[in-house]
Amino acid sequence: DGNITVSGPIATKSVTSEAYVNSVSSDIVCGSISTDAANTAWVKANSGSIIVKEDIRTKSSTLEAYVEAPSGSITARSIKTDAPDDKDDYIKAAAGSAKFQLVPDKTDPSLIIKDAEFDFNSDQEWNSALSLYGSCTINGRGHHLNFGSAGEIIITSGSQLYLQNIVLRN
C-alpha cells in the first residue's frame, strides 16, 4: 500500500544537520516519532496522514521544528514542537482535519501550545492548565469542553484564542 508503517517508535537525531521523517506519497503509521536536530527538525506526510499511537516530538536547537500533513490529518496522543523563540515551530494539517488529544506529560500536568489550530472529535474533560501563545483556534465541532477542578486555559500576553462551535462548561 506504500505507507510507512512501523510497529514501534521512529527516532531521528542529527548534531550537525536536520533530522526528519518524511513521506512523499503515503501515510506515516507508527508507535511514536521523535526528531532532534541542530538545524530543522520535522515530520511531514506530503500526500498522506500521520497516524501515531503515542507522541510526536520535534526539537531543533537553532532552526524551526514542525509537524505537517498538508493534504491529510494528524492523529496522535500529544504533539510537541520545540524551536528557539525567534524561529517557527508549528503543527499544520489540511483544513479541519487535524485531530489530536491534548494529553499532558505525566511529570508536568500543564500543556503549552503555540500558534495551533485544532478540532475536537468528541466531548473533552479538561483537568490541567493549558497555556496558549500566539494565535490559537479551537473548533469544538459542536462538542463540550468541561473544565474539571484543575482545568484552565491561560492566554498569555499578546496572544489570541479563537473558539468556534464549542460549548464551555464549569
Side-chain angles (χ1 to χ4, degrees):
D1 64 0
N3 291 341
I4 296 173
T5 303
V6 177
S7 60
I10 297 174
T12 62
K13 183 173 184 170
S14 174
V15 295
T16 60
S17 186
E18 61 185 0
Y20 58 89
V21 175
N22 184 41
S23 173
V24 175
S25 62
S26 60
D27 294 342
I28 299 170
V29 181
C30 64
S32 65
I33 300 175
S34 172
T35 61
D36 187 345
N39 293 336
T40 305
W42 51 282
V43 176
K44 187 172 183 179
N46 290 291
S47 298
S49 294
I50 301 169
I51 304 153
V52 176
K53 182 179 179 182
E54 294 187 13
D55 308 315
I56 300 172
R57 301 285 182 260
T58 61
K59 182 178 181 181
S60 171
S61 51
T62 60
L63 295 175
E64 63 185 2
Y66 63 89
V67 178
E68 189 172 347
S71 62
S73 64
I74 301 170
T75 303
R77 182 181 69 178
S78 67
I79 302 171
K80 181 178 181 182
T81 59
D82 185 8
D85 288 341
D86 63 336
K87 302 298 181 190
D88 284 339
D89 56 330
Y90 61 88
I91 302 163
K92 187 187 302 184
S97 67
K99 295 180 181 127
F100 56 93
Q101 297 175 10
L102 300 174
V103 178
D105 184 295
K106 292 176 183 169
T107 61
D108 179 4
S110 63
L111 277 174
I112 298 172
I113 295 179
K114 179 181 174 188
D115 297 324
E117 297 180 18
F118 51 94
D119 298 346
F120 288 165
N121 58 3
S122 63
D123 290 345
Q124 301 291 314
E125 173 83 23
W126 197 254
N127 290 304
S128 302
L130 171 65
S131 297
L132 300 176
Y133 292 82
S135 178
C136 298
T137 301
I138 300 173
N139 184 341
R141 299 179 62 193
H143 297 289
H144 297 109
L145 174 56
N146 184 40
F147 290 93
S149 61
E152 65 180 341
I153 295 177
I154 302 163
I155 303 167
T156 59
S157 178
S159 298
Q160 303 88 31
L161 171 62
Y162 301 96
L163 299 173
Q164 299 173 333
N165 198 18
I166 190 167
V167 177
L168 301 176
R169 293 194 172 152
N170 296 330

